[in-house]
Amino acid sequence: MEMGLDDDPINDWAHQPIPEKLWHYTSVEGFQGIIASGNIYATDVRYLNDSEEFVHARKVANEVIEQTPEFGDFGFPLRDVLKSAINGVFASDFLDPNRAQIFVASFTDSADDLSQWRGYSHGTFGVSISFDLRMHRPTVESDSAVTFAPCIYDDDEKRNLIQFAIHQFVKESQAKWTETVKGFLNEIGKSKIKPDFSEILKITSAAFGDPEFKAQLNNRLNAARQRLHRLSGLLKHRAFHHEMEWRLVLPISPDKDKTDLVHPIRFRSTGASLIPYIEFPLGMISMAQGSGATPTPILPVNDLLLGPGASVDAANAALAFLESESIKIVPSRSDVPYRQARNQSICEGQQ
């Protein structure tokens, strides 16, 4: 029986309450584009600043394998079984870096962080936009692969969640092995013949080759694959923990017809490369006003902070722009002390 939400720490993590305010650091140009279009860029995860981000989940999984004892009870080849399962999961299309395409839009719990001003807002002259995104997550009952949750930075937490994802497969494998070996040893004990390990391997291989049991293990492997699909886009190196990032993870199946997407893949230039992204709509459709009225999208912006390098004129211009878009927010300015860094560039992963 599959575990419910209360028994599944991956689901628990993925369904944490979304804060009323999640912030997105960007340049003034990005700010204008988001407000005017109602969309935010979700970037192909392989093109984010951390070049190892896409394979980070696999590296953590390899650490789990290395830290697992070689054998369990009755000679069960624990490490080899775990390694085989993880290899099978990461060979799937969604987790194969040569085939998978996962797009992420980044937000943060941190409204006024100097490192993010410098990294993502054009050298502290940009903005930090707050959104109320509590309605932008699939329901618990949904089987959608879309995930909106905080990133995971703690290495022990990552390993524990990966172990959980695969534990049912390993548990049932070990139970079958133990049951089979115990039965064999009971028979051998009656005849008082010393068992040979090659005989144990022979009977366990036959037990694991049973079609019904193979189908049962395949179901467990598929469940592990689904959990790791959800988890992999949230794992980040601990060096980025100060960013307190929340991610909207939007995977596209490798078999999906890319010419028939609701949100088509587009490309932007960074000067050195073309970056794939999709435009994700942030607006919620409001109720129509009056008979025959067309519902209008409401952008869930609930605060705006200008970077510590912004001028008074920039604040006045931002206020006028928001008013022109019917957004009734008075922007404020960061009070973070800073030294303007020279030769700052805009982070490739931001709009």
Side-chain angles (χ1 to χ4, degrees):
M1 180 181 295
E2 287 297 321
M3 295 184 176
L5 178 64
D6 292 340
D7 303 311
D8 188 334
I10 294 176
N11 259 332
D12 289 345
W13 189 279
H15 288 89
Q16 292 181 58
I18 299 172
E20 183 179 352
K21 288 186 176 183
L22 281 176
W23 302 81
H24 178 77
Y25 289 79
T26 187
S27 64
V28 171
E29 181 182 11
F31 160 58
Q32 181 185 23
I34 291 170
I35 300 301
S37 69
N39 299 324
I40 197 166
Y41 288 175
T43 303
D44 188 321
V45 72
R46 293 171 293 187
Y47 294 83
L48 297 179
N49 278 2
D50 180 2
S51 60
E52 293 189 347
E53 194 154 336
F54 190 82
V55 296
H56 188 62
R58 181 58 196 260
K59 288 190 172 185
V60 177
N62 287 343
E63 292 174 7
V64 172
I65 295 171
E66 292 170 4
Q67 295 174 10
T68 298
E70 186 173 0
F71 296 103
D73 294 340
F74 295 94
F76 176 65
L78 180 58
R79 187 185 300 162
D80 284 347
V81 169
L82 180 65
K83 183 177 181 180
S84 176
I86 285 177
N87 286 343
V89 166
F90 280 91
S92 65
D93 290 344
F94 266 121
L95 293 170
D96 180 352
N98 297 315
R99 294 202 65 204
Q101 207 158 16
I102 298 175
F103 293 84
V104 300
S106 298
F107 306 89
T108 176
D109 255 336
S110 182
D112 199 6
D113 177 62
L114 180 57
S115 66
Q116 294 188 77
W117 283 123
R118 286 176 167 166
Y120 305 130
S121 68
H122 207 169
T124 74
F125 288 104
V127 303
S128 180
I129 316 170
S130 171
F131 298 97
D132 182 353
L133 300 173
R134 289 174 292 178
M135 300 298 292
H136 280 74
R137 175 191 280 158
T139 62
V140 174
E141 296 78 15
S142 170
D143 62 356
S144 171
V146 174
T147 304
F148 191 22
C151 287
I152 306 163
Y153 301 99
D154 182 80
D155 290 338
D156 288 338
E157 186 78 45
K158 296 172 196 172
R159 287 189 286 266
N160 289 340
L161 291 174
I162 286 178
Q163 283 178 325
F164 173 80
I166 208 76
H167 92 284
Q168 198 65 28
F169 176 90
V170 174
K171 178 181 177 182
E172 294 192 13
S173 297
Q174 183 156 356
K176 186 69 171 180
W177 176 282
T178 299
E179 176 190 357
T180 304
V181 173
K182 276 186 173 180
F184 173 72
L185 292 178
N186 285 336
E187 291 299 318
I188 289 293
K190 294 176 183 177
S191 62
K192 299 183 179 180
I193 300 173
K194 186 176 181 179
D196 185 273
F197 191 67
S198 63
E199 294 180 86
I200 291 178
L201 289 179
K202 184 176 179 180
I203 63 153
T204 53
S205 295
F208 276 68
D210 174 70
E212 183 176 343
F213 185 65
K214 286 175 69 175
Q216 179 180 332
L217 282 187
N218 190 55
N219 288 338
R220 295 305 183 190
L221 197 61
N222 284 335
R225 187 176 292 116
Q226 290 170 3
R227 289 188 174 110
L228 285 174
H229 287 170
R230 170 167 287 182
L231 187 64
S232 60
L234 299 175
L235 303 189
K236 288 201 70 174
H237 194 280
R238 61 183 179 277
F240 297 94
H241 72 278
H242 66 280
E243 294 189 349
M244 301 172 62
E245 182 179 353
W246 277 68
R247 276 190 170 174
L248 178 62
V249 184
L250 307 167
I252 296 179
S253 169
D255 299 323
K256 181 75 174 178
D257 181 0
K258 301 299 193 299
T259 64
D260 189 33
L261 296 174
V262 175
H263 309 300
I265 298 173
R266 306 183 188 279
F267 296 85
R268 67 182 185 274
S269 171
T270 63
S273 176
L274 292 174
I275 307 297
Y277 71 96
I278 60 177
E279 295 181 352
F280 183 80
L282 292 170
M284 305 300 294
I285 302 301
S286 72
M287 297 296 290
Q289 301 295 319
S291 177
T294 302
T296 56
I298 296 176
L299 197 60
V301 177
N302 57 11
D303 208 344
L304 183 73
L305 193 63
L306 278 72
S311 65
V312 173
D313 288 342
N316 291 335
L319 176 60
F321 174 60
L322 290 171
E323 289 176 344
S324 74
E325 297 290 333
S326 301
I327 297 175
K328 302 184 184 305
I329 290 173
V330 178
S332 55
R333 238 183 102 194
S334 166
D335 58 4
V336 170
Y338 77 103
R339 290 181 182 177
Q340 178 56 39
R342 300 178 65 181
N343 300 322
Q344 287 288 343
S345 60
I346 300 175
C347 173
E348 290 179 356
Q350 298 289 319
Q351 182 176 8

